[in-house]
Amino acid sequence: MANDKVSLEYGSLVFTDADMQERLPKPTYRELRRVIDEGKPINIDIANEVAHAMKQWALEKGATHFTHWFQPLTGITSEKHDSFLTPKTDGNILMTFSGKELIQGETDGSSFPSGGLRATFEARGYTIWDPMSPAFIKDEVLCIPTAFISYTGEALDKKTPLLRSEVALEVQAKRVLTLFGRHPKRVITNCGPEQEFFLIKESDYIARPDLILCGRTLFGCAPSKGQELEEHYFGAIRPSVNAYMKEVDDELWKLGIPMRTKHNEVAPCQHEMAPIYEQSSLAIDDNLLTMEKLKLMATHHGLACLEHEKPFDYVNGSGKHDNWSISADGENLLEPGDEPDENLQFLAFLCFLIAAVDEHADLLRASVASCGNDHRLGGHEAPPAIVSIFLGDELSPIVQALIKGKHVCAHGCDEVDLGVPALPNLARDNTDRNRTSPFAFTGNKFEFRMCGSQQNISDSNVVLNTAVAEQCDKFANDLQDCTKENFVERAMEWIRTSLQEHKRILFEGNGYAASWEEEAARRGLKNNKTTPDALPCMVEPRNIAFFEKYHVLSEAEQRARYISQAEQYSKLMNIEANTMVYMARTMYLPALYRYSGSCAQSVEHIAALGINDTTQRAVVQQLVAGIQAITQAANELEQENAYAHTIDSPKEQNDYYRDVITSKMATLRASVDAMEPLCDRSIWPVPSYNDILFYV
Ligand code: ADP
Ligand code: MG
């Protein structure tokens, strides 16, 4: 091993494969690998040995506690720490950790959102070890990645359906590959999540209750300067941010998270960090850890990290690009390659993706629906709420030719008469020009760009995996009776028919253009602009049947997920409305009373000198009118929000927030923001956009 700092420290806080190999007896290690690689159940003797080795390793690294680390429906991670300590009768202690404690934990899950599942079943929740994700140490705690389920086995978390969808996809993809004469041991998906975030001064953060309580600013007039000079994107990283990112990198590398890229983003104070891709469930665990560390480490540098999708109006919000690919024993099935016989296989998987996204665009849209992301999607900074696929200059003509049933031009445009087009080795850099597309083919992977920055992207991957599994299933069913002689022809025909059926989802143009909305409507593509519009499809019979068929989510689980997401939306809207009323009454209005009072005094003083001044008098009048408007808007928002809070049906409540509360919030914001440019900045009760976004 190299002895540079990074090589020495990389993964030092992870119980890696090398650690297992070194510390476990050979037969135990071999059995554990079977559990990990083949998804076999683990027996208690093996678990005891693994637990012992894991504990010894953790103690040597200074750990005192262990925890089952899991992802409840809030999307973030949860943990409850237990120490290894067991008192002995002689007054000494033992540090213990059993196989049972490793495999399963019990937790009173009643304080986690369950969408009603626990009311119908049982209050207790269980955490079950996921041996596919390695254990790691965080703040002297041995963290064991787990799935979180109810007493009767219902998934109460984000990870369980993800793992189930990976199984469904693997099973169906293997059936397809068998038809191509391939018999891989494993088919997995890979994921590389690019994480965007804002970094502002901690002192500004602390001064704004809206940032603390809601993660975004609920007030603030436009800054004098926005992102129009395009100077921030890829600009030199400011020293305090650089020091912070170095610390984040160091910490994440120790946790075995392969962080690679860091740069400034488009909006002022906006940044991005991205890892090298990994197997999806691991990549998502690592993304959640990354988000946690990003927040925590910022405080070491006098900074605050904002992971909300839209912390500031007037500048871009933050997303998380979900780069997705599927591979068989390490071979990327979305790599076009240049061997014609492999091209057919590539074309098949490309076609599965296209059909999958078209058939389940509604669920994909729902998987990124959140209060925060509503401010971002369709805002000319992120893809619109319409799902479509961009293939790029090289692939698109090939697919279009296939759809039309023409002979296909290969690279260099020699006509190929086989019905099997020879695909060019795509120049990866040329494929990613369209940033307005929600779902873009980028050389050898798809990039789903609708995900919000603070989301757990398991939800999107669950939809994608299951939808692709369904297409693989159809292909395998339709072609399983093919002969060697007619397979190529029938496969090409299947692909052509499927592409013809699903071509409406393909769009190479500008996704931000208003004309696309009209065109998409003509094509019958949905445009669910808000969370209340997007979520209800989750409980449509066809979507329930879809997840049930592939054993990814039962009807009860899917309904629970809908309720949980809908409740989350209403709760966040309620908190935002409460915070606005609170800030208006306790911060903005009192500041305006004082300021209008002092301006009025000034008018009086001037008048006492016999000078007739109308301009200052007009300002006082504007301030008083503003005070009245704010008071009225706050009262109305408070009343409507109190009513919204009493609505029982999650759907009706969501709709009420969308239709009534958002506009009342906008009115209150506008009335406060209109006052900001009239006031002496020293009396304004919170830091302004100018202050926050352009700090030195
Ligand atoms: P950008 O989208 O900013 O141009 P890159 O092309 O460098 O960025 O890749 C973005 C992310 O995609 C990275 O996290 C990278 O590891 C990931 N990625 C690259 N190849 C694959 C793949 N085959 N499967 C999944 N993710 C991938
Ligand atoms: Mg990207």
Side-chain angles (χ1 to χ4, degrees):
M1 189 170 74
N3 63 357
D4 60 285
K5 178 178 146 234
V6 179
S7 304
L8 287 175
E9 294 201 340
Y10 189 83
S12 60
L13 295 177
V14 183
F15 191 58
T16 58
D17 187 67
D19 292 313
M20 291 190 241
Q21 238 181 103
E22 189 188 312
R23 287 165 186 268
L24 291 170
K26 269 213 175 77
T28 313
Y29 171 74
R30 268 202 304 272
E31 187 52 32
L32 181 62
R33 280 271 35 124
R34 272 162 44 88
V35 170
I36 297 172
D37 296 336
E38 295 163 37
K40 296 257 151 46
I42 190 165
N43 81 36
I44 190 69
D45 295 331
I46 301 287
N48 278 328
E49 286 187 60
V50 176
H52 179 76
M54 212 185 250
K55 178 199 72 184
Q56 282 311 118
W57 169 83
L59 292 177
E60 284 164 28
K61 299 273 177 190
T64 54
H65 289 68
F66 70 93
T67 184
H68 277 194
W69 187 74
F70 60 102
Q71 303 166 25
L73 295 184
T74 51
I76 51 172
T77 57
S78 291
E79 48 196 75
K80 175 191 86 178
H81 304 167
D82 284 308
S83 74
F84 293 117
L85 193 146
T86 308
K88 291 205 297 185
T89 45
D90 64 4
N92 290 322
I93 55 154
L94 272 178
M95 296 300 258
T96 61
F97 181 51
S98 68
K100 192 165 168 288
E101 286 170 312
L102 168 64
I103 299 178
Q104 184 173 322
E106 191 186 323
T107 168
D108 171 21
S110 53
S111 301
F112 295 105
S114 75
L117 267 185
R118 247 183 324 271
T120 11
F121 299 96
E122 244 252 11
R124 263 175 304 177
Y126 293 91
T127 48
I128 310 287
W129 179 34
D130 164 22
M132 260 116 61
S133 261
F136 56 90
I137 294 173
K138 188 163 65 80
D139 304 323
E140 303 185 351
V141 178
L142 170 67
C143 298
I144 298 147
T146 56
F148 181 41
I149 58 169
S150 75
Y151 180 66
T152 41
E154 266 80 19
L156 296 173
D157 67 348
K158 301 274 182 186
K159 184 184 260 239
T160 306
L162 177 69
L163 297 178
R164 291 179 188 156
S165 72
E166 296 271 335
V167 172
L169 180 55
E170 175 164 26
V171 168
Q172 300 302 337
K174 278 182 174 170
R175 290 181 62 213
V176 170
L177 291 170
T178 304
L179 297 176
F180 282 93
R182 322 266 316 254
H183 304 281
K185 271 208 181 104
R186 293 302 313 261
V187 176
I188 61 162
T189 68
N190 287 309
C191 171
E194 299 166 61
Q195 181 70 47
E196 290 181 345
F197 54 92
F198 280 77
L199 275 180
I200 62 169
K201 282 201 296 195
E202 195 174 25
S203 51
D204 287 340
Y205 175 78
I206 289 168
R208 295 213 47 147
D210 46 2
L211 282 177
I212 295 175
L213 294 169
C214 308
R216 75 177 182 108
T217 53
L218 300 169
F219 299 97
C221 68
S224 313
K225 163 177 166 178
Q227 61 194 41
E228 61 273 31
L229 297 179
E230 294 170 340
E231 64 202 330
H232 195 252
Y233 192 53
F234 284 17
I237 302 177
R238 46 159 74 86
S240 59
V241 171
N242 212 13
Y244 158 79
M245 285 182 166
K246 271 189 193 163
E247 195 191 346
V248 171
D249 268 340
D250 282 347
E251 188 71 13
L252 294 179
W253 287 336
K254 280 188 212 163
L255 287 164
I257 301 176
M259 291 314 282
R260 182 177 167 96
T261 309
K262 48 188 179 184
H263 61 80
N264 287 352
E265 260 300 332
V266 174
C269 296
Q270 193 185 28
H271 309 275
E272 175 181 308
M273 288 183 90
I276 296 170
Y277 68 90
E278 299 176 279
Q279 184 264 326
S280 294
S281 65
L282 181 58
I284 292 170
D285 283 358
D286 283 352
N287 176 247
L288 293 168
L289 266 175
T290 301
M291 286 169 71
E292 182 180 317
K293 291 291 178 191
L294 282 171
K295 279 205 160 162
L296 197 80
M297 306 260 129
T299 60
H300 300 176
H301 300 266
L303 299 168
C305 174
L306 310 178
E307 287 170 356
H308 193 282
E309 283 79 12
K310 191 73 180 176
F312 305 100
D313 280 13
Y314 310 107
V315 296
N316 280 7
S318 300
K320 177 148 50 198
H321 292 174
D322 178 5
N323 293 274
W324 184 98
S325 66
I326 174 168
S327 71
D329 289 348
E331 177 208 331
N332 184 353
L333 300 176
L334 294 178
E335 184 74 61
D338 51 8
E339 298 291 323
D341 55 337
E342 280 177 20
N343 283 347
L344 181 59
Q345 184 191 301
F346 164 77
L347 274 184
F349 278 91
L350 180 71
C351 169
F352 300 156
L353 255 297
I354 292 170
V357 170
D358 185 36
E359 295 216 350
H360 298 287
D362 55 348
L363 283 174
L364 261 187
R365 166 66 185 98
S367 76
V368 298
S370 73
C371 202
N373 223 12
D374 279 5
H375 300 288
R376 188 180 150 261
L377 294 179
H380 287 238
E381 57 178 86
I386 310 160
V387 177
S388 68
I389 296 181
F390 170 82
L391 292 176
D393 290 348
E394 297 190 59
L395 213 46
S396 188
I398 293 172
V399 168
Q400 291 306 333
L402 269 171
I403 290 172
K404 294 194 183 102
K406 283 189 191 154
H407 293 164
V408 173
C409 266
H411 210 36
C413 246
D414 301 323
E415 282 237 321
V416 181
D417 208 358
L418 279 173
V420 183
L423 295 182
N425 239 336
L426 299 188
R428 221 156 287 159
D429 293 344
N430 292 336
T431 56
D432 190 20
R433 294 283 179 244
N434 190 339
R435 292 256 149 200
T436 68
S437 175
F439 203 93
F441 185 73
T442 49
N444 61 355
K445 63 185 190 306
F446 274 96
E447 182 168 343
F448 184 43
R449 302 195 177 118
M450 288 171 106
C451 307
S453 48
Q454 59 184 342
Q455 287 175 347
N456 180 322
I457 55 173
S458 295
D459 292 348
S460 303
N461 283 280
V462 166
V463 177
L464 207 51
N465 293 344
T466 316
V468 176
E470 181 183 52
Q471 294 304 319
C472 291
D473 186 11
K474 285 185 184 165
F475 181 88
N477 288 346
D478 291 346
L479 299 182
Q480 61 192 0
D481 60 354
C482 277
T483 60
K484 252 197 178 137
E485 289 69 40
N486 70 8
F487 174 69
V488 168
E489 193 191 324
R490 285 201 32 208
M492 277 311 288
E493 201 41 49
W494 194 98
I495 291 169
R496 196 190 305 279
T497 309
S498 172
L499 289 174
Q500 278 165 350
E501 259 171 48
H502 298 291
K503 63 177 186 229
R504 65 172 186 169
I505 198 79
L506 300 174
F507 178 62
E508 301 289 303
N510 177 8
Y512 296 175
S515 57
W516 169 229
E517 281 201 32
E518 293 158 24
E519 164 73 19
R522 275 197 296 279
R523 294 187 188 191
L525 299 177
K526 292 218 173 71
N527 185 3
N528 288 329
K529 292 192 172 172
T530 67
T531 300
D533 301 326
L535 294 182
C537 79
M538 292 171 75
V539 286
E540 281 172 13
R542 98 179 186 109
N543 286 333
I544 288 178
F546 162 66
F547 281 128
E548 280 203 310
K549 178 169 183 194
Y550 294 99
H551 306 289
V552 172
L553 289 164
S554 68
E555 173 163 5
E557 288 171 332
Q558 178 67 353
R559 287 193 185 280
R561 255 146 241 267
Y562 165 68
I563 298 287
S564 159
Q565 264 184 265
E567 282 179 356
Q568 181 89 344
Y569 174 82
S570 290
K571 284 177 185 169
L572 289 172
M573 290 294 289
N574 173 50
I575 293 169
E576 289 194 351
N578 283 340
T579 306
M580 288 190 86
V581 173
Y582 163 77
M583 287 177 73
R585 294 211 180 122
T586 67
M587 300 176 87
Y588 294 115
L589 283 173
L592 288 165
Y593 298 147
R594 286 196 301 276
Y595 188 59
S596 57
S598 77
C599 288
Q601 268 181 359
S602 164
V603 170
E604 263 181 23
H605 293 163
I606 291 166
L609 295 176
I611 302 169
N612 184 15
D613 172 57
T614 51
T615 36
Q616 270 206 67
R617 188 177 285 274
V619 171
V620 176
Q621 270 162 351
Q622 273 180 285
L623 290 169
V624 172
I627 288 172
Q628 285 164 351
I630 293 169
T631 307
Q632 190 186 341
N635 290 346
E636 283 179 19
L637 177 58
E638 182 179 50
Q639 263 175 22
E640 292 292 357
N641 189 39
Y643 171 72
H645 206 51
T646 64
I647 302 174
D648 271 343
S649 144
K651 168 147 190 0
E652 276 171 33
Q653 194 179 34
N654 277 189
D655 290 350
Y656 200 81
Y657 273 109
R658 176 199 59 203
D659 296 336
V660 179
I661 305 296
T662 44
S663 77
K664 295 284 173 205
M665 284 168 66
T667 307
L668 177 54
R669 176 171 185 155
S671 62
V672 170
D673 290 359
M675 294 296 100
E676 196 181 327
L678 294 181
C679 291
D680 178 344
R681 65 185 284 228
S682 69
I683 70 99
W684 201 245
V686 297
S688 68
Y689 275 27
N690 274 342
D691 300 329
I692 301 175
L693 291 172
F694 299 95
Y695 63 91
V696 281

